[in-house]
Amino acid sequence: MPTYRELIQTSGLERFDAQMLLLHVVQKNRAWLIAHDTDSASAAHIAEFEALVNRRRIGEPVAYILGSREFYGREFIVTPAVLIPRPDTELLVELALARAPQAGRVIDLGTGSGCIPITLKLERPDLSVSAVDISPDALAIAQQNAAALNADVRFVPSDWLSAVAGEQFELIVSNPPYIEANDVHLSQGDLRFEPSGALTDGGDGLQHLASIITQAKPHLLAGAWLLLEHGWDQGAACRELLQTAGYEQVQTWRDLGDNDRVSGGIWQG
Ligand code: GLN
């Protein structure tokens, strides 16, 4: 029987992916693998691992194979109904945490797995956190995540802000679908398996960003921030949209990869 180390080496996958799949099969953590990597694998483990390796070989994202992905230090359930949470989005969370006033009302638009509002609520229990999504399947996953992580977040089925008419917030955040419809990345890697409605607006990539910027205004209290994640090349366009719409202190922040990633502004009413 091959050892666990040999299974990883001969899988043909990237080492990290192979390790993640193997740890899922044996239901152990990384420390266990370091101590046991020269043990012979059982026939059952080998068969189960090979099945997962085959799924990965045809491109299925590791997060969907495992059914979970870590975000901001917590495990979130993910299925093909939701976008896989990205480390880039942790920037949006950091900026939101720094700007949400004590006991403020916050809403996340297009919440997907719920990684943003759940993280905000768990990091800042004083906040009153809401989240919307147009997809009932996504909201079901977000609700499962909130229950599993014990986060008190209100989820509302809504096309952006339409279902919360009349409500106002101290902070609005969103990581909307912002990829241009003809971007080659949509037909590469993990993105091929993710819900296209969570990735692209079917147009130039700026349409949802622009409609959120317009729609958010009556929902923002004086002095409230709107923070939007966007593509590396959309910073200038987003600032332009925000400025034209009358937001103040308009600016763009860069992610850990040094790419423009979040833009925002304050609404003074
Ligand atoms: N808010 C979720 C995330 O950041 C989903 C975003 C989306 O589906 N576009 O992961």
Side-chain angles (χ1 to χ4, degrees):
M1 290 289 186
T3 65
Y4 290 111
R5 180 193 291 175
E6 286 162 350
L7 277 186
I8 288 170
Q9 283 169 348
T10 58
S11 68
L13 301 183
E14 280 182 37
R15 185 181 171 72
F16 185 75
D17 289 357
Q19 283 179 343
M20 295 281 284
L21 297 180
L22 184 64
L23 292 172
H24 182 74
V25 166
V26 300
Q27 292 288 304
K28 303 281 190 209
N29 62 22
R30 208 158 279 281
W32 179 91
L33 188 59
I34 292 165
H36 293 267
D37 73 336
T38 56
D39 289 7
S40 291
S42 70
H45 281 165
I46 294 169
E48 225 185 301
F49 179 67
E50 287 305 333
L52 301 188
V53 167
N54 287 335
R55 288 169 65 184
R56 181 63 192 138
R57 279 205 193 108
I58 59 168
E60 193 174 344
V62 172
Y64 289 155
I65 299 174
L66 303 183
S68 70
R69 172 53 45 97
E70 191 199 301
F71 181 80
Y72 217 88
R74 300 180 183 91
E75 283 298 320
F76 287 81
I77 300 160
V78 295
T79 72
V82 299
L83 191 83
I84 300 166
R86 305 290 204 275
D88 302 335
T89 304
E90 294 182 349
L91 171 65
L92 179 62
V93 168
E94 298 279 4
L95 293 166
L97 288 171
R99 283 164 185 75
Q102 188 66 22
R105 284 157 292 176
V106 184
I107 190 164
D108 174 40
L109 309 179
T111 201
S113 65
C115 62
I116 296 171
I118 292 168
T119 303
L120 293 176
K121 182 65 189 177
L122 294 176
E123 295 297 316
R124 285 280 305 278
D126 60 289
L127 299 175
S128 165
V129 183
S130 301
V132 304
D133 205 290
I134 197 168
S135 157
D137 293 342
L139 277 184
I141 299 298
Q143 263 155 339
Q144 280 181 45
N145 277 316
L149 292 166
N150 207 11
D152 180 16
V153 174
R154 175 181 67 141
F155 292 100
V156 183
S158 179
D159 183 0
W160 302 132
L161 289 147
S162 59
V164 292
E167 290 189 42
Q168 291 192 304
F169 303 89
E170 274 87 8
L171 174 65
I172 298 180
V173 299
S174 183
N175 174 22
Y178 55 71
I179 302 176
E180 200 181 333
N182 60 18
D183 189 317
V184 292
H185 293 99
L186 291 171
S187 54
Q188 294 170 5
D190 286 3
L191 278 65
R192 291 169 298 167
F193 292 80
E194 294 181 282
S196 74
L199 293 166
T200 177
D201 58 9
D204 64 1
L206 292 169
Q207 299 181 26
H208 290 311
L209 290 161
S211 52
I212 291 169
I213 287 168
T214 307
Q215 280 187 41
K217 294 197 275 184
H219 294 275
L220 290 162
L221 288 152
W225 279 90
L226 171 65
L227 296 171
L228 298 167
E229 180 169 330
H230 54 70
W232 62 274
D233 56 352
Q234 292 171 325
C238 270
R239 290 194 301 277
E240 174 76 32
L241 288 166
L242 286 160
Q243 266 148 2
T244 305
Y247 290 81
E248 294 175 30
Q249 293 188 45
V250 170
Q251 57 201 286
T252 298
W253 294 267
R254 293 182 161 218
D255 61 22
L256 290 174
D258 210 26
N259 290 309
D260 282 356
R261 186 57 60 196
V262 174
S263 291
I266 292 186
W267 183 248
Q268 294 295 6

